[in-house]
Structure formats: C-alpha cells, structure tokens
Amino acid sequence: MHRKPVLAGVSIAAAAFFAPQFAAAQTAAAPEVSPLTANVTLTSLYKYRGQDQDILKDGGSNFKTSAFKPAIQGGFDYAHESGFYFGNWNSSVNWLDGNSIESDLYGGYKFKAGVLDFDVGVLGYLYAGNTAGNTVELYGAMGYTSEAVGTFTFKYSHTVSDDYFNYAGNSGGSGLKGTNTGYFNLAYTKEIVPKLTLKVAGGYTHMSSDIRSLGYKSYWDYSVGASYDFGAGLSLAGMVQGATEGSSYEVTGDNGETLNPNKARFVVALTKTF
C-alpha cells in the first residue's frame, strides 16, 4: 500500500513557475534568483493519496495505527529558465518489510498557454530496502490562477511500471500488473488573509483491472486545511487528510490488529525552504 506528498503540496519548482515575472527596471538590476532550491519538512504523519505510510510495528508483519507517527522529509528542485526541471524528494516510511525510506526522482517541463499553466513529466518512487514497492508514473497538470479567485490545478498521473506500490504483487510472481492505474487530482489554493493560505484537494485512484480482481476497490481521497507563511522560507500547515474507508483496504497483522490506512487524520507539518 502506498500510500506524496501528498502534504503532497506544490513543489518548490512549481511555486517558482507559477510566480509572476516582472521586467527589471532600467535604473536597477533585478535580483538574481537561484534555479536550485531545497526543502525540509517535519510532519506528524505521512499520508499519501489519503493513505497512512507508516503501519508496520517493529518493522515486521504486525500492524499498528496512530494519528501521530512523525516523519522527516526533504529534497531539492532545479528549475531552468527554459521550463525544464528535475528534482528529488525523500521521506521516512514504514509500510514495506525491510524498508525505511522513500526516494522520489522526477523531471518534466512547464509552459504557459494563454491564461493556463501546464506541467508534464515523469516520477519514480523508489524503495531501496524493498524494491517491490517501486512505481513509475507519467503525469500532466493544468493550472489557472486569478488574484481574485485563487489557483485551481488539475493533475492526472498514469502508472507505466509493472506494479502500483506492490498492490498487484507482481514482483512476488503473482502474474498480475498494476500498470494503467490512474490518479486524478483537483486542488485549490487561495490566500484568505495575508500569509494564511487555504488549501483544498480531492483525488480519485482508479486501480488497474488486475488489482481490482484481488478485491481492492478504486477510492476517493481528500485534504482540507491551511498553511501560514512565517517568512524566511518557514511555513506551518495543518489539514485533515483521509480517503473513503472501503473494507478492501483493511489489513490484519500477526498480532490480530485490524486497521484501515484510509482513516481520516489531522496532520501538522513544519517546512523550511532554502
């Protein structure tokens, strides 16, 4: 089960792309902006597409659920003036036996067409300690920003790897695939008062036919909250995140405990960008 950043949030590269561009005044040189940025986050719980990313107890097959399982996250982004970008993002996780870190590698191209902003690229999720979870997606996003209304972004991600976060059990010889699993996401952000930004998002995971044949159902996820900008690259976000709690996602460990990783949680995250 996977289970981003989603506070998957907007990447630093994306923020740089959507920021207004102003011509330098003839009497003064425009300040130089570095194409390379970095970020680090401490979050009370890592949820991705509505699902908990920390469910294993003592690194084994026993499961334990909690609203407070801190994770450390961080990465970097390089955004070229041409629109091309690449980056890396990492997080501590605990949902695959023998693995404790997720490392994401991505790259793409951003461009503007009229009043719309577009973003296309590829993203790979890597789990060094247990490669069964490795997943690769292609994605495309379209955004619209209005100072009065806010920013709307629609994104679609399509799985091209043999499995989708090990749901199909492909690496274990199941003969099934997670290829063609799709994820739709619609996000909205708006600064409601100075430095305080409302953030709302909803998503839908459409599992591949092979994964659905195992009894897993496609599901909806949601995130509602806000973030406060303290300045100097420091921000604090708080939001409720979860997903539809279909019984197909319940897991029972050797200890007899049954839990659902889609359960709604209140998540707090402190982020510093450089």
Side-chain angles (χ1 to χ4, degrees), residues 79-98:
H80 191 266
E81 60 183 7
S82 65
F84 287 100
Y85 66 90
F86 65 85
N88 163 250
W89 185 87
N90 311 276
S91 179
S92 56
V93 294
N94 191 28
W95 62 270
L96 280 168
D97 285 335

Side-chain angles (χ1 to χ4, degrees), residues 183 185-188 199-203 221-225 240:
Y183 180 68
N185 180 265
L186 179 62
Y188 171 73
K199 297 185 176 184
V200 180
D221 69 87
Y222 54 87
S223 177
V224 180
V240 175

Side-chain angles (χ1 to χ4, degrees), residues 120-272:
V120 293
V122 59
L123 168 60
Y125 307 81
L126 306 177
Y127 302 90
N130 189 334
T131 58
N134 289 1
T135 302
V136 179
E137 295 180 333
L138 301 179
Y139 61 84
M142 178 178 66
Y144 171 76
T145 299
S146 165
E147 184 175 348
V149 177
T151 298
F152 290 91
T153 304
F154 175 76
K155 183 177 182 179
Y156 174 69
S157 302
H158 189 83
T159 302
V160 294
S161 51
D162 286 340
D163 208 342
Y164 177 76
F165 302 110
N166 199 37
Y167 270 111
N170 181 270
S171 67
S174 68
L176 303 177
K177 290 190 175 184
T179 310
N180 296 325
T181 292
Y183 180 68
F184 303 83
N185 180 265
L186 179 62
Y188 171 73
T189 62
K190 176 70 168 68
E191 186 177 55
I192 49 180
V193 297
K195 298 186 177 182
L196 183 65
T197 301
L198 171 69
K199 297 185 176 184
V200 180
Y204 180 71
T205 299
H206 180 70
M207 294 296 190
S208 71
S209 58
D210 279 359
I211 292 177
R212 284 184 279 118
S213 74
L214 295 173
Y216 292 107
K217 297 179 180 179
S218 300
Y219 70 94
W220 297 89
D221 69 87
Y222 54 87
S223 177
V224 180
S227 66
Y228 185 82
D229 182 5
F230 293 99
L234 184 66
S235 63
L236 179 67
M239 56 195 67
V240 175
Q241 295 180 306
T244 50
E245 292 191 56
S247 60
S248 62
Y249 288 96
E250 290 182 351
V251 290
T252 301
D254 293 343
N255 57 352
E257 182 174 357
T258 298
L259 64 92
N260 195 314
N262 294 18
K263 185 175 181 179
R265 306 287 195 186
F266 179 69
V267 180
V268 178
L270 183 66
T271 300
K272 172 67 176 178

